[in-house]
Amino acid sequence: MTNDSAPQLLPAEGSNDPGPGPVPTGRIPELLHAAVTAVGGVERPGQIQMAQAVAEATDHAEHLLVQAGTGTGKSLAYLVPALAHGDRVVVATATLALQRQLVERDLPRTVEALQPILRRRPLFAMLKGRSNYLCLHRANEGTPSEEGEGLFDPVEALGGPSGKLGQDVLRLRDWAGETETGDRDDMSPGVSDKAWAQLSVSSRECLGASRCAYGQECFAEKARERAKLADVVVTNHALLAIDAIEGAPVLPEHELLIIDEAHELVNRVTGAATAELTVGAVNRAVKRAARLANEKAVDALQAAAESYHGLMETAQPGKVDELPEYLGYAVAAIRDASRLVITSLGETRDKGLSDEDAVRKQAMAAAETLHDTTERLLSESPYDVVWIERNDRYGLVPASLRVAPMSVSGLLRENLYKERSVVLTSATLKLGGDFNGVAASVGLPGEGRLPDQRAADEPERAEGEDAPPYWRGLDVGSPFSYPKQGILYVAKHLPPPGREPDRPQMLDELAELIGAAGGRTLGLFSSMRAAQTAAEQLRERLDFPILLQGEDTLGELIRAFAADPEACLFGTLSLWQGVDVPGSACQLVVMDRIPFPRPDDPLMSARQKAVEEAGGNGFMAVAATHAALLMAQGAGRLVRAADDRGVVAVLDPRLATARYGGFFRSSMPDFWYTTDRNQVRRSLAAIAASAPPPRPVDKRG
């Protein structure tokens, strides 16, 4: 820490100042003041505390978990010390909304404000995975066809220019000549996944800048070059996961990694490390291989595809502890045939195709993906979980095999913390009153170690043993007064929920609460079926508009919910974490039940069993932690601004009666707690009466 005699950041007149460099930690409040003033705000105590903690963690090469409640201003709290640090920083977020906020609003204003103090102008850039950028080769040359020879015109293949997909592809081609970034998220209005897939490539399908005719103009390559020159690189959790999993770095070297929305990290890394063997993927690989591979290899893959298809048509969903012999033979046949295809593709050349390299790369990518997935399935690693999944409830589409890591904590511990300081931040990182659960899930030891504990730990470590990653947890609170702004109500009188979605007494309670609130309700349900059942029944009983997830895009539903003060919005997982509606439009947040994972969830049940076999409490470590994180996020939807008031109602009595109820309540914002249903109705009525009068809503469509 520095004191009042610390050297000035700007050189005195006539001095021999050596030039700009890292800013002392003691000057962080000054920088934060400049940045916050530039965006028209005022520093908050928690924001100042967090900014200084980020700077200190960087100085000491340690790791930091920061819980920063809604309204803290955590983006500036980590951007200011990151820019002052002087070395490259990577910021990884989970959502597109926060990425755009950082790159389009926070970073430009912060850089502008800090430049006179830093005496340098830090550069920043956005970087995503290759498939997020339009491929100029495909836009100009067409897409390798899976039938016939050469490349096909995706417009004709997708029904011509009059079809929706054809129109989307035409718009993409026009946009290719206008866009500076080629980033899918910069295209408005957007296009479907199927249309985008026609004009984008994965890293395996890419020809490579040196071999591609459009390599010098490639949007993905330009993004990577900008990232190499940037002081701050903004990316997403998915690319961070790929960087950690695959070993080959895709992110530029950096000394500080900041993970925002860190409560999402484990799920995103798990998703990136999950592989799936579908009948469709095997059939596509056959079609692509037929273009260039030898007939023997293609026939072998075709036979393996037909065998696998037949087995998966009748396969029952569920966890697979050991592949049955008949299924193991089918998977091994795909592995062996895909290896033959890969060998053949490496030997054959020049079949008179208009663009052989593109066709070969697409076929090779499909075969390599099959080979890698089948090898992993057949290895039956104790660190993986394998299950059969059937997404089509009517059985019209064959099931698939999926494989995911039992845990990602070891992977993160090995690849995330050794070469850099890592700051993980979110509004919800403390579960049950401490950081230990979340820390363990992201690969950090169960208890944080302070700097002065290092020396004490040194003699106890065996020779050659890696030092444990040192970290500390910090809760900087929230500027909101949760006990005064919100009520946590638990409907203790209701019967505990069973497995059926139709709970008549719960629906009666929900209807009464919505009536008392005058609409203004966000309904968070543990399943889509439960949300649909509630919407159908309450639409018949109430006069308030009830919006239902799935009946329109999520963005449109949230806009409609915010625009009509009497509206209600019902939905599932994405609503628990993705709704930001300050003001009177959302004064009641209802959770139908504690969102424990399904008992038949293969991955969660396997993780729970592994904890129990190791002597731990699998229920608390896995199921309860999963549910507590969701409930904390869901409760956070209520208070989004300093003048917001309302009620979080949990229609599951177990939150009040079960032994684990206290764990959940201590994981949520510190609202005033009650089980008195009459008190809650009076409070809701009073809040609704003080809200602005409803604006007229045009219901003509």
Side-chain angles (χ1 to χ4, degrees):
M1 298 293 289
T2 59
N3 53 36
D4 293 339
S5 63
Q8 296 296 307
L9 297 178
L10 293 174
E13 186 175 351
S15 70
N16 294 318
D17 185 79
V23 177
T25 301
R27 309 306 292 270
I28 292 298
E30 175 188 349
L31 298 178
L32 183 63
H33 176 78
V36 173
T37 302
V39 300
V42 178
E43 307 103 289
R44 303 172 180 92
Q47 188 180 40
I48 297 171
Q49 187 183 7
M50 176 176 173
Q52 290 178 312
V54 172
E56 290 168 3
T58 306
D59 288 346
H60 297 139
E62 292 176 349
H63 310 303
L64 177 69
L65 273 69
V66 186
Q67 177 162 292
T70 305
T72 301
K74 61 182 168 66
S75 297
L76 288 183
Y78 62 67
L79 286 179
V80 167
L83 292 168
H85 177 53
D87 292 304
R88 182 180 291 114
V89 176
V90 168
V91 178
T93 78
T95 61
L96 170 62
L98 183 52
Q99 290 172 42
R100 297 189 80 92
Q101 174 188 315
L102 291 173
V103 172
E104 296 176 5
R105 191 184 74 185
D106 293 346
L107 274 166
R109 293 179 181 180
T110 306
V111 166
E112 190 72 29
L114 299 189
Q115 183 180 1
I117 306 175
L118 298 176
R119 293 184 296 111
R120 54 185 170 84
R121 188 175 184 85
L123 301 175
F124 55 89
M126 176 92 80
L127 183 61
K128 303 176 182 178
R130 188 172 293 274
S131 61
N132 290 278
Y133 300 96
L134 183 138
C135 173
L136 287 171
H137 185 277
R138 286 198 169 182
N140 292 296
E141 305 294 339
T143 306
S145 171
E146 292 177 2
E147 297 181 12
E149 295 295 314
L151 304 183
F152 75 82
D153 186 322
V155 175
E156 295 299 325
L158 298 174
S162 61
K164 177 66 168 66
L165 287 178
Q167 290 176 347
D168 281 348
V169 171
L170 283 176
R171 282 204 299 118
L172 280 170
R173 282 180 169 172
D174 291 339
W175 182 69
E178 303 167 0
T179 176
E180 294 183 1
T181 65
D183 185 337
R184 180 181 183 179
D185 294 323
D186 290 341
M187 186 181 189
S188 182
V191 297
S192 67
D193 290 345
K194 191 169 185 179
W196 182 260
Q198 305 304 313
L199 299 186
S200 65
V201 296
S202 66
S203 57
R204 276 183 164 171
E205 293 172 325
C206 177
L207 293 172
S210 62
R211 299 180 62 187
C212 179
Y214 303 91
Q216 296 300 311
E217 307 165 62
C218 175
F219 294 121
E221 291 297 324
K222 285 183 176 180
R224 296 187 74 167
E225 289 304 314
R226 287 192 296 269
K228 289 178 183 178
L229 299 174
D231 299 278
V232 177
V233 178
V234 179
T235 188
N236 51 46
H237 289 183
L239 192 62
L240 178 65
I242 292 169
D243 189 76
I245 292 168
E246 296 191 352
V250 293
L251 293 169
E253 288 188 7
H254 52 283
E255 291 197 4
L256 174 60
L257 170 63
I258 297 170
I259 303 174
D260 204 342
E261 302 169 310
H263 62 277
E264 278 284 293
L265 181 64
V266 169
N267 286 339
R268 301 297 172 116
V269 175
T270 299
T274 298
E276 184 175 21
L277 185 64
T278 68
V279 169
V282 183
N283 288 334
R284 282 192 298 275
V286 171
K287 291 180 180 179
R288 293 174 182 178
R291 313 270 314 286
L292 281 171
N294 65 50
E295 188 173 346
K296 179 181 178 181
V298 175
D299 287 346
L301 189 56
Q302 177 69 59
E306 292 172 357
S307 174
Y308 184 64
H309 189 159
L311 293 174
M312 300 312 286
E313 277 190 315
T314 57
Q316 295 303 305
K319 184 172 175 290
V320 178
D321 292 319
E322 184 177 345
L323 282 178
E325 188 175 19
Y326 64 90
L327 192 52
Y329 282 141
V331 174
I334 296 173
R335 177 200 60 190
D336 297 342
S338 62
R339 186 187 297 126
L340 289 175
V341 168
I342 292 168
T343 302
S344 176
L345 289 172
E347 295 171 346
T348 57
R349 286 288 185 273
D350 190 10
K351 284 202 172 186
L353 299 174
S354 59
D355 195 330
E356 184 184 331
D357 281 343
V359 175
R360 184 183 308 281
K361 285 292 288 187
Q362 190 178 59
M364 186 71 84
E368 288 176 342
T369 300
L370 281 186
H371 185 267
D372 292 351
T373 303
T374 50
E375 280 277 28
R376 187 173 169 190
L377 286 165
L378 291 167
S379 72
E380 298 187 340
S381 166
Y383 303 109
D384 274 340
V385 180
V386 177
W387 72 96
I388 295 172
E389 183 164 295
R390 186 178 289 280
N391 292 318
D392 178 12
R393 61 188 295 188
Y394 300 106
L396 300 177
V397 177
S400 62
L401 275 170
R402 301 197 65 168
V403 55
M406 177 75 75
S407 168
V408 297
S409 61
L411 184 152
L412 293 173
R413 183 168 54 251
E414 287 298 313
N415 296 287
L416 212 60
Y417 304 105
K418 290 184 177 180
E419 305 296 331
R420 60 189 68 83
S421 291
V422 181
V423 174
L424 301 104
T425 184
S426 167
T428 48
L429 289 180
K430 286 177 71 175
L431 299 179
D434 62 52
F435 291 94
N436 292 340
V438 169
S441 72
V442 297
L444 292 169
E447 295 182 2
R449 290 171 171 82
L450 298 175
D452 58 4
Q453 290 179 278
R454 283 188 171 192
D457 286 349
E458 289 295 330
E460 299 179 8
R461 197 166 57 250
E463 185 176 352
E465 183 182 344
D466 287 338
Y470 289 87
W471 65 276
R472 70 182 179 110
L474 174 67
D475 182 358
V476 300
S478 168
F480 304 146
S481 178
Y482 288 122
K484 295 180 179 179
Q485 290 184 248
I487 296 172
L488 171 61
Y489 164 61
V490 179
K492 186 178 179 181
H493 62 282
L494 292 178
R499 301 194 66 174
E500 69 287 345
D502 189 359
R503 297 168 57 199
Q505 290 172 276
M506 183 275 289
L507 291 176
D508 291 342
E509 180 83 9
L510 177 57
E512 290 181 21
L513 290 170
I514 292 174
R520 314 172 194 273
T521 299
L522 176 65
L524 305 176
F525 292 83
S526 54
S527 71
M528 198 63 231
R529 189 179 171 196
Q532 291 167 342
T533 299
E536 290 168 3
Q537 295 200 23
L538 295 190
R539 280 170 175 168
E540 297 177 359
R541 298 165 59 174
L542 302 173
D543 292 331
F544 304 110
I546 296 180
L547 309 169
L548 178 63
Q549 184 179 355
E551 294 183 345
D552 204 337
T553 65
L554 188 58
E556 287 301 316
L557 288 171
I558 293 174
R559 279 189 284 273
F561 176 54
D564 185 350
E566 293 190 334
C568 303
L569 174 58
F570 291 179
T572 56
L573 185 59
S574 55
L575 295 189
W576 288 73
Q577 305 182 81
V579 177
D580 185 5
V581 181
S584 62
C586 181
Q587 294 184 335
L588 173 62
V589 175
V590 178
M591 304 179 198
D592 70 327
R593 65 170 73 198
I594 297 173
F596 290 121
R598 297 191 329 270
D600 60 351
D601 183 303
L603 186 55
M604 287 294 188
S605 60
R607 287 176 170 175
Q608 187 167 324
K609 182 180 179 182
V611 173
E612 291 167 354
E613 289 177 347
N617 187 325
F619 170 76
M620 292 302 297
V622 179
T625 295
H626 167 87
L629 192 56
L630 274 179
M631 293 190 79
Q633 284 286 310
R637 302 309 97 199
L638 180 68
V639 176
R640 310 300 294 176
D643 56 354
D644 283 354
R645 292 189 300 157
V647 171
V648 172
V650 181
L651 308 186
D652 185 337
R654 294 175 296 177
L655 194 67
T657 60
R659 285 184 299 173
Y660 50 74
F663 173 78
F664 286 100
R665 295 196 301 274
S666 64
S667 302
M668 299 165 74
D670 186 24
F671 296 129
W672 187 75
Y673 172 63
T674 185
T675 59
D676 187 335
R677 59 193 303 197
N678 295 322
Q679 174 63 54
V680 165
R681 282 158 180 71
R682 290 193 297 269
S683 298
L684 280 171
I687 294 169
S690 65
R695 290 167 289 179
V697 178
D698 187 350
K699 297 187 178 181
R700 295 171 296 178

